[in-house]
Each structure stands twice: as structure tokens, then as C-alpha cells.
Amino acid sequence: MSTMKYTPGPWRIAVWDYLKAEEPRKDLVIQNDTNRIAVLDWDEGKENPYTIPEPQAMANARLIAAAPRMLAAIKSVVDLYENNPDDLETLDQGVILLRAAIAEAIG
């Protein structure tokens, strides 16, 4: 397996307020404990036909923030299957991991 090239998780959603900026705004950010990973385009809860509405932007943010956990769950299930292809109880544990990752992604 190759070494990790992405920013380590867990990732989470944050709203950064720039109230004192020349043009006040809020950034919808995906971050870990030390870094901003991504900034999503969104309408900040205001009507704007050129940006993504807040509910959809938050759903997108949840999906992106869940990526490290989803990848870890997928890798775990593959490992469980490769090491125990006939052990249904072990594979059930993998399904539990996948369901938890899906729940995190869809909120």
C-alpha cells in the first residue's frame, strides 16, 4: 500500500467569520487540527443565484469532511475481506464501519 499523500484526518467543518474585512464574509472551511484543507463556495445563507445554497453547501462539506473516515472504513473492509474471506462475522464488523462512515457523510 502506498504512503498517505493527503492531509491527515479527522477533518471537520468550520465557518470562519471575517467581520472586519473590507468586504465582510464567512468562509465555509474543511479543516483538521492544524490546517485549512478546503474552502467551499456558498451563499452564506443569503440569496445569491451564483453560489450554492447553504443547505447544499453544508451537505457538500459533510461529504468532504467525511472523506478520511470513509477511506479508512473502505481500507478496513478490504483488509478484513482479504484476510478472512469466509468469516462473515468479521465482514459484518466491516459493514458496521462502512455504515458509520456513510452516516457521517450524509449527516
Side-chain angles (χ1 to χ4, degrees), residues 90-105:
T90 300
L91 293 176
D92 285 345
Q93 294 171 7
V95 171
I96 291 168
L97 291 172
L98 290 173
R99 285 187 177 138
I102 292 167
E104 180 182 338

Side-chain angles (χ1 to χ4, degrees), residues 44-94:
E44 299 180 35
K46 305 169 193 164
E47 290 293 320
N48 184 337
Y50 302 106
T51 57
I52 298 171
E54 185 173 355
Q56 186 178 359
M58 288 296 189
N60 292 344
R62 279 192 302 275
L63 181 60
I64 295 166
R69 183 168 177 179
M70 289 190 296
L71 178 59
I74 292 166
K75 288 168 68 176
S76 293
V77 171
V78 168
D79 289 344
L80 287 169
Y81 179 75
E82 288 177 347
N83 294 319
N84 305 291
D86 299 321
D87 184 352
L88 293 180
E89 190 174 313
T90 300
L91 293 176
D92 285 345
Q93 294 171 7

